[in-house]
Amino acid sequence: MKRNVVRIVMVIAMAAAAAGASPRVFHGEVSDSQCALNVHSLTRSHQEMLKSKSMGGTANTCSVYCIEHMGGYLVLSSGNDVYRLDRADLVHGFEGRRVVISGILDPKLNQIHVLKIELNDKP
């Protein structure tokens, strides 16, 4: 199974490289689409949901709840920019956390093909 995932990643990376796209580094918070896109938030954050405690008490629990129960998807929220993330298998566990992502941006879909993700140690 892992071999197939690695092969798929390599094929996508090679296709993107052939198309002229190169990996970039993105900084932001892994979030759910509802909070990041103002579906139920006025501030593009978890602020309102955390005050109400209706969807958990942390950014992590809010994101996980919205993805599991409200049909949201994982995104990287960075200032006014929100990018959909395509590798839930790599991104899962980083919900509500500030991260650094190395990936390839598909501008037509506004989606990052995640190659690598790690916590952002800098505040």
Side-chain angles (χ1 to χ4, degrees), residues 3 7-9 12 17 41 46 48 56-57 64 69 75 78 81 87 97 101-102 108 112 116 123:
R3 287 185 200 169
R7 286 181 186 149
I8 291 169
V9 169
I12 292 172
S41 167
H46 307 284
E48 292 88 1
V64 171
H69 300 286
V75 298
S78 179
D81 297 321
R87 293 286 312 276
R97 309 283 303 270
I101 292 177
S102 175
K108 291 180 182 176
I112 299 171
K116 181 180 177 185

Side-chain angles (χ1 to χ4, degrees), residues 20-119:
S22 59
R24 292 179 33 198
V25 175
F26 301 87
H27 299 264
E29 178 186 322
V30 174
S31 185
D32 61 281
S33 54
Q34 285 88 353
C35 286
L37 296 173
N38 289 345
V39 173
H40 59 221
S41 167
L42 301 173
T43 60
R44 300 184 90 179
S45 71
H46 307 284
Q47 184 177 6
E48 292 88 1
M49 299 301 106
L50 295 180
K51 282 182 185 176
S52 72
K53 299 212 184 283
S54 61
M55 296 179 190
T58 67
N60 172 270
T61 56
C62 181
S63 291
V64 171
Y65 181 90
C66 289
I67 291 165
E68 290 179 356
H69 300 286
M70 301 182 81
Y73 50 88
L74 290 166
V75 298
L76 179 72
S77 181
S78 179
N80 289 329
D81 297 321
V82 178
Y83 304 100
R84 189 173 187 152
L85 302 172
D86 74 342
R87 293 286 312 276
D89 60 318
L90 289 178
V91 178
H92 180 68
F94 289 94
E95 296 92 338
R97 309 283 303 270
R98 299 211 45 84
V99 298
V100 177
I101 292 177
S102 175
I104 299 169
L105 177 64
D106 180 337
K108 291 180 182 176
L109 299 176
N110 203 37
Q111 177 173 292
I112 299 171
H113 171 65
V114 179
L115 300 173
K116 181 180 177 185
I117 184 169
E118 52 192 24
L119 288 176

Side-chain angles (χ1 to χ4, degrees), residues 1-13:
M1 177 70 177
K2 286 187 179 184
R3 287 185 200 169
N4 288 338
V5 171
V6 170
R7 286 181 186 149
I8 291 169
V9 169
M10 293 302 292
V11 167
I12 292 172

